[in-house]
Amino acid sequence: MNTWLSVVMLAPALAGCASTPVVERSGDERFKLVSESMDKLAVGGRISNVKWSEDGSSMSYSRSGKRYRVDLADGASIHIAPSAEGEREGNQTRPQRRSRPARGRQRDREESPDGKWVAVCKDYNVVLEPKEAPGAFSLFSSLFDYSNAVTSGGDRKFRYGTASWVYGEELDQQEAMWWSPDSGTLVFYEFDERRVPDHYLTAGLTELHTSVLTEGYPKAGEPNPIANLLTYDLETKQTIRVDGAEDDEWYTYGVRFGPQRDDVSPELLFFRTNRHQNVLHLVAADVETGQTRIVLTETQDTWQDNSPEMKFLDDGRRFIWATEKTGWKQYELWDLDEGLIGTLTRGEYPVGEIETVDEKAGVLFYSAYSDAHPLNLQLHRVGLDGRGQMRLTQEPFNHSSIEVSPDFKWFVAQYETIDTPPTSALYDTNGNRIATLAESDASRFGELGLEKPELFSFKADDGQTDLYGVLFKPSNFGADKKYPLLIDVYGGPTSQAVRNRFVGAYAECEYGFLIARIDNRGTGNRGKAFESAVYLRLGDVDLKDQVDGVRHLLERPYVDKARVGIYGHSYGGFMAALALLKYPEVFHAAAAGGTVSDWRNYDTIYTERYMRTPQENAKGYDAGSCKTYAKQLKGDLLLLHGMVDDNVHSNNAWQLIELLQEEGKRFEMVFFPNAGHGLGARSGAARWRFLREHLLN
């Protein structure tokens, strides 16, 4: 949901605003002015469309709608000059990506690499259709059916060539059919949902008659679907089952063919993880026999990353693999046949991502959170033998938008902080800064009289862990005044809301709010121990960190202790509602959208990854349930929900509403009859009306 779009609708049309001094305008006028200026608060410091010439003599880039060229010919004399409008240099065209299916779904058509066939999931079965009708009489092709049925007998509960919503949503499984590189073999899912309970949504609530939407949706602790892989040989028309896991509770996903190799045919690769998701196998399968072997295994005491970063080298055998076995995400080099070759990166900080690999020189370029400040990404290099690890960017800023030249002699990077607008620079790959390519013009920020956002820190209740947040203030801020404090929360496991990147302003502050975002324990890019602090305790440790962040800010004289609010959506809705119920002495208002009121209501894959099952962790589920604390409601609560939400079902809201009514509690609710999990602009209008009414008087 686009926050800015949602709330702009609250601002009335304003006539003659230009004659009113910036700082003297009303909150509505100020909000409209700032929200319309968000993309102009710092311009010119970001570059895009970086191109490197084929001979390595120059590079060009776009900045503020113009193209610029940098002469790299002698490696020392750098000349920056505007180049021809629309100029395109080099051959770095990126492959066109296939469109994503609807959220939680899989594509129902997959074209073979040779362009001759299309695998189609039709009526829960797999059918092969020719891309073009054969023969010269294509005029009459509509009279003939050239399709080949690969499967038969599929139905909604036992189907082929498709998976389920929970596989799409939680395992990002967007495909359910895969072609071999030579187009000779088709692999597809056999998906058994017969033991999975169905969930029903009522659609058409604004129509004359309603309809029922049915989805197999396994909720925490309930039976899961059984996913198997089948292979179909186009020449022999034989179907073979790929060896399954010994336990049908294991998830099978991340399916793809390995790279083309000179020595053997590409193997089918996929992930398997157990129901607790603390053991992960990378599995290779022979599509001719269906036999499988485990290439590697990762194990964690809490949960294992379901889809670690993996990059193959040109030989199709060796690959770079991200592991957290040391407690920090680091890279290893593996061989599909021989196993682990060696560790590439080391450090008590997590790597970010692979930027590129210079295979000729045997060098990996990667980002890592290696700065003295744990939110700052830096660029590194290391040999594929694990030697020569070197940090290339030295400034104490966050670095992003990294582009390494094809000859591996240069790179460009953008650096910034929360309160420092971005600058883009050119470096050589020894880490020497060569030239500044673009600096931000932040004059509009000053013209609007905006306050710079503040990155703050405080200690968690263990007395050791540093937690970070960012505080936004209104433009007419005065330390001698009192302001209501709002927490904009998500806080879910492995998410990250606080990054050391320039974000300019928060337009809603212009109504008169202080607004803060806080990253609690459990959020990402701080190491495995930091993430795992919430294991089996969602709504406990993570919420306590948000509360401690509020208490830290309440020590400031300009923060009004009597006017503290919180809002969020989805996991953030859960955190917002639970905060008001569990800590009524701290929070006075909460706007909660798409709220998970009890984790027993949510799906197996997400919930059990962090909480295990309700049968195993009943106390943890109770401690993190909004329903447990319904009787403690004292402040003002707004619940927002979509009636056709197929992600967080509306019964989450109804269960909490019933308990609040039984307790005689007063609250507000806004339901959207045709909305799913994303509520759209009208929910933003309702949220800000509520928060302004209850916190701004």
Side-chain angles (χ1 to χ4, degrees):
M1 180 177 63
N2 188 315
T3 304
W4 306 120
L5 177 61
S6 331
V7 294
V8 164
M9 298 179 66
L10 288 174
L14 303 171
C17 284
S19 61
T20 307
V22 168
V23 295
E24 295 179 7
R25 292 175 177 172
S26 69
D28 284 318
E29 292 173 318
R30 286 286 306 164
F31 164 77
K32 186 173 188 294
L33 186 62
V34 174
S35 62
E36 290 176 347
S37 300
M38 286 300 295
D39 61 349
K40 305 180 185 68
L41 297 182
V43 296
R46 306 181 195 274
I47 66 174
S48 61
N49 197 23
V50 174
K51 304 291 183 182
W52 306 88
S53 63
E54 292 185 5
D55 62 4
S57 65
S58 67
M59 60 86 71
S60 64
Y61 59 94
S62 296
R63 185 186 77 194
S64 301
K66 296 182 180 179
R67 293 291 294 172
Y68 293 85
R69 182 198 297 271
V70 179
D71 182 10
L72 305 172
D74 59 8
S77 176
I78 306 300
H79 176 63
I80 303 177
S83 62
E85 184 67 25
E87 178 184 12
R88 297 292 182 266
E89 298 184 56
N91 55 359
Q92 296 180 338
T93 56
R94 295 183 179 180
Q96 187 175 5
R97 293 184 178 181
R98 292 178 293 176
S99 61
R100 291 179 65 97
R103 181 171 179 172
R105 306 299 173 186
Q106 294 81 40
R107 281 188 288 271
D108 59 4
R109 300 175 64 86
E110 298 289 353
E111 184 177 337
S112 62
D114 63 10
K116 295 180 180 180
W117 293 95
V118 179
V120 181
C121 179
K122 182 182 297 184
D123 298 328
Y124 306 109
N125 284 293
V126 176
V127 176
L128 290 182
E129 296 179 350
K131 186 70 181 298
E132 295 181 1
F137 300 99
S138 59
L139 178 64
F140 305 103
S141 60
S142 61
L143 300 176
F144 302 94
D145 183 8
Y146 296 106
S147 62
N148 296 319
V150 176
T151 68
S152 62
D155 57 34
R156 187 178 66 82
K157 299 297 284 184
F158 189 95
R159 53 189 185 262
Y160 302 96
T162 187
S164 67
W165 180 91
V166 70
Y167 260 56
E169 173 72 11
E170 306 301 0
L171 298 174
D172 198 28
Q173 193 60 61
Q174 300 173 43
E175 307 90 10
M177 300 176 286
W178 303 267
W179 287 96
S180 63
D182 65 1
S183 301
T185 303
L186 177 69
V187 180
F188 55 92
Y189 268 133
E190 175 193 78
F191 217 80
D192 184 354
E193 280 195 331
R194 288 174 294 186
R195 62 184 187 179
V196 176
D198 285 334
H199 190 88
Y200 304 97
L201 297 175
T202 303
L205 291 171
T206 56
E207 304 298 328
L208 185 62
H209 295 286
T210 59
S211 58
V212 176
L213 303 177
T214 305
E215 184 77 45
Y217 189 110
K219 300 202 172 189
E222 293 183 340
N224 258 326
I226 301 172
N228 286 303
L229 296 173
L230 305 180
T231 73
Y232 177 78
D233 187 295
L234 270 68
E235 182 177 353
T236 66
K237 301 187 184 306
Q238 295 296 308
T239 300
I240 295 175
R241 181 180 299 273
V242 174
D243 290 346
E246 293 183 4
D247 184 349
D248 61 17
E249 291 284 287
W250 284 57
Y251 302 109
T252 299
Y253 63 100
V255 185
R256 71 277 198 201
F257 275 89
Q260 191 70 48
R261 296 171 55 176
D262 294 333
D263 51 348
V264 295
S265 299
E267 293 177 291
L268 185 70
L269 303 177
F270 54 91
F271 294 130
R272 276 193 184 132
T273 188
N274 60 337
R275 184 156 181 164
H276 283 161
Q277 298 168 71
N278 63 337
V279 178
L280 175 75
H281 294 322
L282 173 62
V283 182
D286 184 328
V287 295
E288 294 182 359
T289 65
Q291 293 182 340
T292 61
R293 60 188 179 86
I294 296 174
V295 176
L296 63 82
T297 300
E298 291 279 355
T299 305
Q300 287 286 338
D301 292 333
T302 56
W303 71 85
Q304 165 63 35
D305 182 0
N306 275 337
S307 299
E309 192 177 10
M310 181 179 181
K311 181 179 178 61
F312 274 96
L313 301 184
D314 289 342
D315 58 21
R317 295 175 51 234
R318 293 177 300 157
F319 59 94
I320 298 169
W321 173 262
T323 178
E324 292 181 294
K325 64 179 60 172
T326 67
W328 304 96
K329 179 184 171 184
Q330 299 292 338
Y331 291 122
E332 296 175 333
L333 186 62
W334 283 77
D335 186 292
L336 275 178
D337 301 324
E338 303 298 330
L340 179 63
I341 297 174
T343 300
L344 300 183
T345 65
R346 296 172 175 82
E348 293 189 355
Y349 50 79
V351 296
E353 63 180 4
I354 296 169
E355 297 295 340
T356 191
V357 180
D358 179 358
E359 291 204 39
K360 183 177 180 181
V363 175
L364 164 67
F365 293 86
Y366 65 97
S367 58
Y369 292 91
S370 57
D371 194 69
H373 197 297
L375 300 187
N376 286 344
L377 267 174
Q378 304 288 352
L379 181 65
H380 291 245
R381 58 180 290 175
V382 67
L384 293 178
D385 58 1
R387 300 177 182 177
Q389 184 168 280
M390 176 183 179
R391 176 172 150 180
L392 300 178
T393 49
Q394 300 300 326
E395 297 96 337
F397 298 104
N398 184 72
H399 293 77
S400 62
S401 301
I402 295 167
E403 298 267 2
V404 181
S405 64
D407 61 8
F408 306 102
K409 294 181 180 179
W410 316 91
F411 70 90
V412 296
Q414 174 183 297
Y415 62 87
E416 62 197 309
T417 66
I418 284 281
D419 59 2
T420 305
T423 296
S424 296
L426 173 71
Y427 305 79
D428 66 28
T429 45
N430 289 317
N432 300 306
R433 181 170 169 174
I434 304 301
T436 298
L437 303 179
E439 293 182 285
S440 293
D441 176 3
S443 57
R444 183 60 175 158
F445 190 94
E447 290 170 3
L448 292 173
L450 295 172
E451 290 283 324
K452 288 186 176 181
E454 173 196 347
L455 186 66
F456 65 91
S457 65
F458 60 98
K459 293 290 185 184
D461 60 7
D462 62 6
Q464 298 179 346
T465 305
D466 290 319
L467 300 173
Y468 293 90
V470 56
L471 178 66
F472 298 87
K473 303 171 185 176
S475 56
N476 57 349
F477 173 79
D480 57 342
K481 301 178 182 179
K482 288 281 189 179
Y483 296 90
L485 174 65
L486 262 179
I487 303 300
D488 175 359
V489 67
Y490 184 77
T494 72
S495 66
Q496 187 176 6
V498 180
R499 299 177 186 270
N500 204 11
R501 302 190 65 174
F502 182 79
V503 287
Y506 210 126
E508 288 83 357
C509 287
E510 300 306 308
Y511 294 134
F513 293 112
L514 298 170
I515 300 179
R517 294 173 182 159
I518 298 167
D519 270 349
N520 45 259
R521 281 171 291 180
T523 54
N525 295 318
R526 293 287 305 275
K528 196 61 184 175
F530 186 91
E531 289 181 0
S532 298
V534 300
Y535 190 57
L536 306 180
R537 302 172 66 185
L538 298 186
D540 180 4
V541 173
D542 46 5
L543 183 56
K544 182 61 164 55
D545 288 349
Q546 295 284 333
V547 172
D548 287 344
V550 169
R551 287 173 171 155
H552 170 78
L553 292 173
L554 289 178
E555 295 176 0
R556 304 183 182 195
Y558 51 80
V559 181
D560 191 342
K561 297 180 180 180
R563 293 186 292 164
V564 179
I566 185 170
Y567 69 92
H569 187 79
S570 196
Y571 197 100
F574 156 70
M575 292 279 276
L578 188 62
L580 186 70
L581 299 171
K582 199 171 183 179
Y583 294 94
E585 74 281 7
V586 176
F587 295 98
H588 308 97
T595 302
V596 180
S597 63
D598 189 301
W599 287 106
R600 295 173 179 87
N601 292 324
Y602 203 56
D603 72 65
T604 51
I605 299 179
Y606 183 92
T607 307
E608 295 173 9
R609 182 184 306 145
Y610 310 116
M611 293 287 282
R612 297 204 170 185
T613 66
Q615 295 88 337
E616 297 171 289
N617 184 26
K619 290 183 179 179
Y621 276 78
D622 290 340
S625 172
C626 296
K627 294 158 59 177
T628 300
Y629 306 94
K631 60 185 177 183
Q632 295 185 184
L633 176 63
K634 294 181 179 179
D636 300 302
L637 174 64
L638 171 65
L639 296 173
L640 306 105
H641 220 108
M643 291 301 295
V644 285
D645 189 339
D646 60 356
N647 185 344
V648 180
H649 300 143
S650 60
N651 65 336
N652 280 273
W654 295 125
Q655 291 172 14
L656 180 57
I657 287 167
E658 182 179 44
L659 291 173
L660 292 171
Q661 290 173 336
E662 289 176 355
E663 295 290 338
K665 300 297 183 180
R666 181 177 177 177
F667 61 94
E668 297 182 37
M669 60 183 187
V670 178
F671 277 62
F672 300 86
N674 295 309
H677 194 53
L679 298 181
R682 287 176 296 176
S683 69
R687 177 177 67 242
W688 288 104
R689 173 203 56 77
F690 171 84
L691 293 171
R692 293 177 71 183
E693 177 182 342
H694 292 285
L695 295 176
L696 292 176
N697 301 319

